[in-house]
Amino acid sequence: MKIQDIYKQNKQAKKPTISLEIFPPKKDGNIEIIYQTLEELGDLKPDFISVTYGAGGSGTVNNTLKIAAHIKKHYKIESLHHLTGIMTNYQDMQNMLKAIQKRGIENILALRGDVPINSKNNKSLNTYQYAKELIKDICDFGNFCVGAACYPEGHIEHNTAVENMEYLKQKEEAGAKFFVSQLFFDNDSFYRLLDNARSARICVPITAGIMPILSRLQVERMVFMCGVTLPSKLIKIIHKYEQNIDDLHKAGLEYAFEQIDDLLTYGVDGIHVYTMNRPNVAKFALMRYKE
Ligand code: FAD
């Protein structure tokens, strides 16, 4: 089933669309571990599960397809295959799309991917300079529902809100049928994105991406990788509990739970939980929804 139709159905039923994100094991990791994780995630009956795709050939890319196909076949849950355009040429992308289609996957999250540090100035390596070009190629290929990323606080390489909206609109015009947001810790940033997007006549569903915090290191990585803002409430939580990892997990999950509660009350189109392959994170974060 196409994810755009899931959003439509849920909207008619006045329900949010609930989705989870997982990532394939690293190059030498055991794929069976992810299947055990999926057993537990499948029980939560999300509307779809997305599977990340390693940029720049990190060795996890083939596993994305295997896992996405497994989700659909074994759990009858729709899967969303992430796909990055960076460092990939047109023909390789066409072959990739054929392989994805052959496994029965109907939904792709089309991303540019992060530019590898050692090729930042080498534009010739990038057939797909922006995600919108990949979105268009996938739509032209046919029979896929394509989603894309959005950034409540702007993408780390760019900063004006006007540009943020302009580029989002271009992705919708290229064929994106829904957006999944970058994680954020301050719901107001997501509400501002929604207001700006609707003013810019961006009409497709926009899902809120929530990542419960697990450690100070993880949060620091996110802040510097994604440029997200840390509200003082969260900084104080980290400060209070950082010496006790269990208490920090608990407080982090509660913070995410409150974020989700507020988003659901606001009436967002959907919630996307970055599970970090931890079923308990998804279970706890979605408790409010399941109540
Ligand atoms: P784009 O939309 O192309 O944006 C890239 C940059 O170009 C931004 O700075 C943007 O402001 C700018 N830009 C866009 N259009 C224009 C234009 N017309 N003119 C000038 N500048 C422009 N990465 C992975 O490697 N694998 C994954 O599985 C993955 N999953 C993700 C899932 C989500 C929900 C999100 C939010 C991100 C994910 N990422 C993933 C990270 C993503 O690849 C990076 O954030 C990447 O740097 C940007 O990807 P994009 O698709 O948003 O690119």
Side-chain angles (χ1 to χ4, degrees):
M1 185 175 188
K2 305 276 191 288
I3 286 176
Q4 68 191 93
D5 295 324
I6 298 180
Y7 277 108
K8 264 187 215 146
Q9 275 182 7
N10 284 337
K11 194 172 181 178
Q12 275 163 8
K14 298 193 177 1
K15 283 197 316 188
T17 293
I18 302 296
S19 52
L20 306 176
E21 180 182 290
I22 58 165
F23 54 83
K26 298 269 175 256
K27 201 174 177 183
D28 304 319
N30 181 356
I31 198 163
E32 292 303 322
I33 291 175
I34 196 75
Y35 294 152
Q36 286 162 25
T37 305
L38 280 170
E39 281 291 319
E40 293 189 54
L41 293 180
D43 289 345
L44 293 172
K45 305 259 175 290
D47 290 299
F48 65 89
I49 298 180
S50 83
V51 190
T52 66
Y53 185 84
S58 70
T60 64
V61 294
N62 293 333
N63 284 340
T64 300
L65 182 50
K66 268 191 214 153
I67 295 167
H70 182 87
I71 292 169
K72 220 178 140 126
K73 190 166 170 208
H74 290 267
Y75 304 102
K76 311 278 179 257
I77 294 172
E78 218 31 75
S79 55
L80 174 63
H81 189 301
H82 293 209
L83 195 56
T84 57
I86 204 149
M87 315 287 281
T88 307
N89 66 38
Y90 176 81
Q91 196 48 53
D92 287 347
M93 189 54 77
Q94 292 292 306
N95 293 340
M96 186 68 203
L97 293 173
K98 277 181 205 152
I100 295 175
Q101 197 160 63
K102 208 167 155 197
R103 299 295 295 266
I105 311 288
E106 295 177 67
N107 303 286
I108 295 179
L109 192 73
L111 303 141
R112 182 198 65 177
D114 286 321
V115 184
I117 290 167
N118 55 6
S119 58
K120 280 229 152 92
N121 296 321
N122 192 347
K123 291 240 166 16
S124 64
L125 285 170
N126 305 334
T127 308
Y128 296 101
Q129 200 179 345
Y130 301 119
K132 63 176 179 174
E133 295 152 7
L134 178 60
I135 295 168
K136 184 174 178 310
D137 273 3
I138 302 173
C139 291
D140 289 348
F141 184 91
N143 282 324
F144 283 115
C145 167
V146 184
C150 64
Y151 300 86
E153 299 179 77
H155 184 258
I156 185 98
E157 293 163 23
H158 263 268
N159 39 33
T160 78
V162 174
E163 282 171 338
N164 197 17
M165 276 313 117
E166 223 174 88
Y167 304 151
L168 200 60
K169 181 78 187 157
Q170 289 174 5
K171 293 201 226 189
E172 189 192 40
E173 285 168 353
K177 294 289 185 285
F178 62 94
F179 291 111
V180 180
S181 93
Q182 171 85 280
L183 65 105
F184 55 89
F185 297 114
D186 174 4
N187 285 3
D188 284 344
S189 66
F190 186 74
Y191 300 144
R192 269 194 301 277
L193 174 92
L194 288 183
D195 282 351
N196 291 340
R198 300 316 175 206
S199 304
R201 300 196 195 294
I202 294 166
C203 304
V204 300
I206 302 178
T207 275
I210 297 294
M211 179 181 278
I213 63 156
L214 295 175
S215 70
R216 180 182 173 135
L217 194 69
Q218 170 221 15
V219 175
E220 283 172 356
R221 222 179 26 236
M222 289 308 150
V223 168
F224 286 101
M225 260 175 62
C226 314
V228 293
T229 307
L230 277 188
S232 68
K233 183 177 170 185
L234 191 55
I235 294 173
K236 286 174 186 164
I237 289 174
I238 296 168
H239 178 75
K240 185 169 175 188
Y241 297 113
E242 69 177 309
Q243 302 306 334
N244 185 328
I245 199 77
D246 289 340
D247 285 350
L248 184 60
H249 281 190
K250 204 163 157 251
L253 284 171
E254 263 154 27
Y255 188 90
F257 180 84
E258 279 173 28
Q259 268 194 287
I260 292 175
D261 192 30
D262 184 65
L263 289 159
L264 291 175
T265 306
Y266 188 91
V268 294
D269 295 315
I271 305 280
H272 185 73
V273 181
Y274 294 99
T275 71
M276 296 161 284
N277 294 0
R278 293 172 183 243
N280 70 326
V281 165
K283 275 183 201 158
F284 191 93
L286 294 179
M287 241 158 56
R288 154 70 166 81
Y289 173 67
K290 294 281 166 194
E291 273 166 5

